[in-house]
Amino acid sequence: MVLDLTTLDLTNATPFLTWLFGPGWTDGAVFQPIPLVVLLLLACGGAWRFLAAVRKGCGGTTRRAGLILTLLVTGAVLLALAAGGVWFLLPAATRTGLQPAIINGLGWLMGPGWYHGAMYQWLLVVVCATVVVWGFGWLFTAARRGPVEAFMIAGQVAGDAVLDTLRLSPRRVAALAYLAVKESIRRQVMVVLLVFILIVLFAGWYLGKDSIDPARAYLDCVLTATSYLVLLLAMFLSALSLPADLKSRTLHTIVTKPVRASEVVLGRMVGFMAIVTMLLVPMAAMSYVFVQRGVSHTHELAAETLKPAEGNRAGQPTELQGLTSKVNGHRHKVTIDLTAEQGKRPRGKVETEQRHTHAVIVQKDGDKFTYKLGPDDGMLVARVPVYGKLAFHDRTGQPTDKGINVGDEWTYRSFIEGGSLATAIWSFRGIDEQHFPKGLPIELTLEAFRTYKGDIEKPVVGSLWVRNPSDDRNKPVMVETFYSKDFVTDVHQVPRHWKPAEGKNVDLFKDLVTEDGRVEVWLRCDDKSQYFGVSQADMYLRSTNAAFGWNFVKGYISIWLTSMLVVSLGVMFSTFLSGPIALMASFGALLAGFCHEFMFKLATGQTLGGGPFESITRIWTQANVTSEAEPGLVTTVEQTLDAVAKFGLYLLSAVLPDFSHLNFSEFVASGFNIPGDWALMYACRTFAFALPVFIVGYLCLKNREVAQ
């Protein structure tokens, strides 16, 4: 899996409230201080009085409330249908003229970009879905009992759903959730925790501490094991529990009590999520300790290993160099700078290995200095990256849309030709001296493509340049040449001041960064007939580090959110399907959710090889995916079937959540911080999806004959 954070816009994550209410929401009249306070007081007071009246009502009051809700729901649905019908009956020119007026009018109330707000889009989807479901219910009922009675029945069902939701009893929901927890414990669900403990106990034997990135291996192990164990448990519990209770007639006793179907469904969801939480908390604690103990280490630095650097005089060396002891399959090269001022201690530098380094601790022992290394620094991090926009120059130095394709079917990276003017250019914005006082820390990942073998152990040489983008006539300034490291994150530093091989001294912020914080970083391959492959996410500026512990917790929160969706779907399917079928439906929804992006691209024709049926034919005939299908009856039938399949896939991708983007584990394992606003967005999406799923489960259980 390729980690491309730029596709998720983590660099400049949209603020949560802007995502929720739309750009410019603070300019809306509703969100001004005085109107907002008045509106909240009226809304909260009215909702409280209405909810209190509904919950305290009994007998005739309940019937009147139900009748009022029925009329309100039916009237709202009819009004929505009428408004939609009138809108589509209007001429196109009239609709085109009215649309800006409506948007601007609501923009004055809610902000100019209100229609981009996630809350308003969710409300629109909910309203449309309600109208569609109500309409289909009315059609089926009208076919049996006539159109007038169908209006009353469909409205009554919708009104009862609203009334039952408003009259939920937290005490009964908590009691049913407690029963679900006791039932789950009786079914030995805590065995999952024992399995996880065994994995943690023995995983250290097989995880390679001498790999390029041992921290990623440890994090991948615990996060993947947790995800699979908890998601499978949530799926089995939620899909099989209710059918098992129906089969054993345990639920019959519950429904004879004053318990609503909505409380049964919500109690199951809350109870199973309590079990998931009870498992995730100790798993997270054990995982954190396991990872910390697994990767933490230090090295010994013996004084006899430090020798004068090459070019230093033996009598008065200015630098000492040596190697540390070998731990976890690696050593560090250490350089001691002896040119410190009088009375100050020498400074030490440790080169990066396995994506970490160590601090050099200098101690004075009489007239001599002794050196030792501190704990590892950089193994467990939560980097906050600043990404730029990627552009290319061809071998003649002219701008081009993308680099060269070297024949690789995977087009994630584009290549630049070595020994020419071909360049990969990253344009950064918002760069200032306050955030980068020591220069620009660059982290770069490359793919080197060789057209001839040569010295296979010698890396390909590249160079980094910096350019001021304020004027097209400005030339880039070379920073350094370096040896490439294939598929390994390499750390480079653009210093605050430096003197190029040709030219005068350069001040980064005075000479190369514009007043509005723009700067370009250029990458070139210096070896002729060799190539560098890069993507937009392969270079970023490392602005700072967030707290790894909190980032680790956010990874487990993402597992909790995914489990919540699985539990919601499993309970919903179990309200109208048998146990095995509900389990298969839950597994299918989970699998489709993880393939959400692929399904959407396949449904919208963004993949090579055509639709599902055409792809099967190409696989069978071993045809090239880029060639056009031969015209004929077979191709026509394939395309017709693909049109139907694509429509179904489009509906699935529109209904099911994207599980692949909901899980933050990949980013935690790769050492990238997850912005809090971004996590809040996905938490809101999770609850926004779980709410209608709960309503569907309630309606299915309410209209099901439990005694059958």
Side-chain angles (χ1 to χ4, degrees):
M1 177 179 178
V2 176
L3 178 64
D4 189 357
L5 291 174
T6 57
T7 61
L8 299 176
D9 197 19
L10 293 186
T11 308
N12 301 303
T14 305
F16 173 68
L17 293 178
T18 300
W19 169 82
L20 190 64
F21 298 117
W25 64 277
T26 53
D27 297 330
V30 172
F31 297 105
Q32 302 309 309
I34 295 178
L36 182 60
V37 171
V38 173
L39 181 63
L40 288 176
L41 289 175
L42 291 175
C44 294
W48 178 262
R49 291 295 301 273
F50 177 75
L51 185 60
V54 171
R55 293 179 61 83
K56 290 173 63 178
C58 60
T61 306
T62 303
R63 286 193 294 272
R64 285 195 299 272
L67 179 60
I68 292 172
L69 284 173
T70 298
L71 294 176
L72 287 175
V73 171
T74 305
V77 172
L78 291 176
L79 182 62
L81 288 172
V86 170
W87 176 260
F88 284 106
L89 288 175
L90 289 174
T94 305
R95 291 202 304 268
T96 304
L98 287 175
Q99 189 171 356
I102 296 173
I103 291 176
N104 293 333
L106 293 175
W108 172 83
L109 194 65
M110 297 180 292
W114 65 272
Y115 48 89
H116 292 299
M119 186 181 73
Y120 307 123
Q121 294 178 358
W122 180 79
L123 289 174
L124 177 62
V125 171
V126 169
V127 169
C128 293
T130 302
V131 171
V132 170
V133 172
W134 188 92
F136 276 106
W138 177 83
L139 285 175
F140 284 113
T141 309
R144 295 187 300 169
R145 301 192 179 184
V148 177
E149 190 175 355
F151 275 117
M152 294 303 298
I153 294 175
Q156 184 67 43
V157 171
D160 288 345
V162 176
L163 190 63
D164 280 359
T165 304
L166 293 176
R167 290 176 62 84
L168 278 170
S169 171
R171 182 179 299 177
R172 289 195 293 265
V173 171
L176 291 169
Y178 178 68
L179 289 176
V181 171
K182 289 183 64 177
E183 172 196 345
S184 302
I185 294 176
R186 200 164 48 243
R187 293 178 177 176
Q188 308 297 325
V189 297
M190 292 304 170
V191 172
V192 171
L193 187 58
L194 296 178
V195 172
F196 182 77
I197 293 174
L198 290 175
I199 292 175
V200 170
L201 287 175
F202 296 102
W205 294 1
Y206 305 100
L207 294 174
K209 294 185 178 181
D210 56 350
S211 63
I212 295 176
D213 193 353
R216 182 188 178 95
Y218 274 78
L219 289 168
D220 271 334
C221 174
V222 294
L223 290 170
T224 303
T226 304
S227 297
Y228 285 152
L229 290 173
V230 172
L231 291 182
L232 288 175
L233 174 67
M235 185 171 59
F236 275 91
L237 273 181
S238 59
L240 299 178
S241 176
L242 195 58
D245 286 351
L246 288 170
K247 185 177 181 180
S248 63
R249 299 183 179 274
T250 306
L251 194 64
H252 293 63
T253 306
I254 297 177
V255 297
T256 58
K257 308 296 182 182
V259 176
R260 302 176 183 276
S262 57
E263 294 167 347
V264 174
V265 175
L266 185 58
R268 296 277 166 161
M269 290 182 177
V270 173
F272 296 145
M273 286 311 301
I275 288 291
V276 169
T277 306
M278 290 168 57
L279 291 173
L280 281 179
V281 171
M283 283 182 173
M286 287 187 289
S287 299
Y288 188 80
V289 174
F290 171 72
V291 172
Q292 284 279 9
R293 289 176 60 88
V295 303
S296 295
H297 68 282
T298 187
H299 300 262
E300 293 183 359
L301 182 61
E304 56 270 15
T305 63
L306 294 173
K307 305 296 182 183
E310 294 183 6
N312 287 191
R313 288 181 297 175
Q316 293 180 327
T318 58
E319 280 188 356
L320 298 177
Q321 290 183 349
L323 293 175
T324 66
S325 60
K326 189 174 184 180
V327 178
N328 293 344
H330 72 282
R331 302 175 185 268
H332 293 271
K333 183 179 179 180
V334 181
T335 302
I336 306 296
D337 184 3
L338 301 177
T339 59
E341 297 179 6
Q342 186 71 22
K344 291 187 178 181
R345 299 186 177 188
R347 297 186 302 270
K349 179 182 177 182
V350 179
E351 290 193 0
T352 301
E353 292 289 339
Q354 290 188 346
R355 301 188 181 182
H356 74 279
T357 184
H358 298 262
V360 177
I361 302 173
V362 182
Q363 297 177 333
K364 193 170 185 179
D365 185 10
D367 296 334
K368 297 182 179 180
F369 289 103
T370 60
Y371 311 96
K372 68 176 184 178
L373 299 188
D376 55 272
D377 180 19
M379 294 285 280
L380 301 176
V381 294
R383 296 187 287 264
V384 180
V386 175
Y387 287 98
K389 296 294 183 181
L390 178 60
F392 290 93
H393 283 179
D394 61 18
R395 65 189 318 273
T396 63
Q398 298 301 314
T400 182
D401 293 336
K402 56 184 179 180
I404 297 173
N405 186 342
V406 295
D408 195 348
E409 292 185 3
W410 191 39
T411 58
Y412 176 72
R413 288 185 171 90
S414 288
F415 289 80
I416 55 175
E417 183 179 352
S420 69
L421 296 179
T423 312
I425 303 171
W426 283 267
S427 301
F428 296 94
R429 293 180 176 272
I431 307 302
D432 55 40
E433 189 174 356
Q434 180 181 357
H435 291 89
F436 300 95
K438 297 181 180 180
L440 303 181
I442 295 175
E443 296 197 358
L444 175 65
T445 304
L446 294 174
E447 177 184 354
F449 179 81
R450 300 172 181 267
T451 59
Y452 61 90
K453 184 176 179 180
D455 186 357
I456 195 64
E457 295 184 357
K458 181 181 178 182
V460 179
V461 179
S463 58
L464 284 176
W465 307 63
V466 180
R467 177 182 173 273
N468 187 328
S470 60
D471 192 334
D472 292 340
R473 293 172 295 182
N474 290 339
K475 294 183 178 180
V477 178
M478 177 182 279
V479 178
E480 65 174 2
T481 58
F482 63 94
Y483 291 108
S484 65
K485 300 178 181 179
D486 285 5
F487 302 110
V488 175
T489 301
D490 196 10
V491 180
H492 302 273
Q493 179 75 25
V494 178
R496 175 65 190 273
H497 304 90
W498 79 95
K499 189 178 188 312
E502 298 179 0
K504 60 180 182 179
N505 292 334
V506 175
D507 186 307
L508 175 65
F509 289 99
K510 289 183 179 180
D511 301 329
L512 299 174
V513 179
T514 64
E515 293 182 357
D516 56 351
R518 293 182 296 120
V519 68
E520 291 180 355
V521 179
W522 290 29
L523 170 70
R524 285 176 176 168
C525 179
D526 294 343
D527 282 350
K528 191 174 181 180
S529 301
Q530 310 289 29
Y531 295 82
F532 279 161
V534 293
S535 69
Q536 184 166 300
D538 282 339
M539 178 185 288
Y540 56 87
L541 306 181
R542 185 171 176 177
S543 62
T544 184
N545 286 333
F548 170 77
W550 174 232
N551 204 50
F552 186 80
V553 170
K554 283 188 282 189
Y556 271 81
I557 290 176
S558 72
I559 299 175
W560 189 90
L561 292 174
T562 309
S563 302
M564 182 179 178
L565 293 180
V566 173
V567 166
S568 302
L569 289 170
V571 172
M572 185 266 292
F573 285 129
S574 68
T575 57
F576 63 93
L577 296 174
S578 63
I581 304 301
L583 183 62
M584 292 177 61
S586 300
F587 180 76
L590 181 63
L591 184 62
F594 278 110
C595 301
H596 182 278
E597 186 175 357
F598 174 73
M599 283 197 311
F600 179 77
K601 289 183 177 180
L602 188 61
T604 53
Q606 300 181 37
T607 57
L608 297 175
F613 291 95
E614 184 179 343
S615 299
I616 292 173
T617 303
R618 289 179 182 273
I619 293 173
W620 181 262
T621 59
Q622 298 183 357
N624 195 311
V625 295
T626 59
S627 61
E628 293 187 5
E630 297 182 0
L633 178 61
V634 175
T635 301
T636 304
V637 172
E638 288 174 352
Q639 293 175 351
T640 304
L641 294 174
D642 281 339
V644 178
K646 287 180 178 180
F647 179 72
L649 290 173
Y650 181 80
L651 289 179
L652 279 177
S653 63
V655 171
L656 291 176
D658 188 352
F659 285 104
S660 61
H661 282 174
L662 182 62
N663 196 323
F664 310 153
S665 301
E666 178 68 20
F667 307 118
V668 176
S670 300
F672 288 96
N673 178 56
I674 305 299
D677 287 326
W678 189 68
L680 282 175
M681 294 175 195
Y682 276 89
C684 283
R685 290 178 180 178
T686 301
F687 285 99
F689 181 83
L691 179 59
V693 170
F694 157 70
I695 298 295
V696 172
Y698 152 72
L699 291 174
C700 293
L701 184 62
K702 182 177 177 61
N703 292 280
R704 177 176 182 176
E705 184 59 48
V706 175
Q708 290 183 354

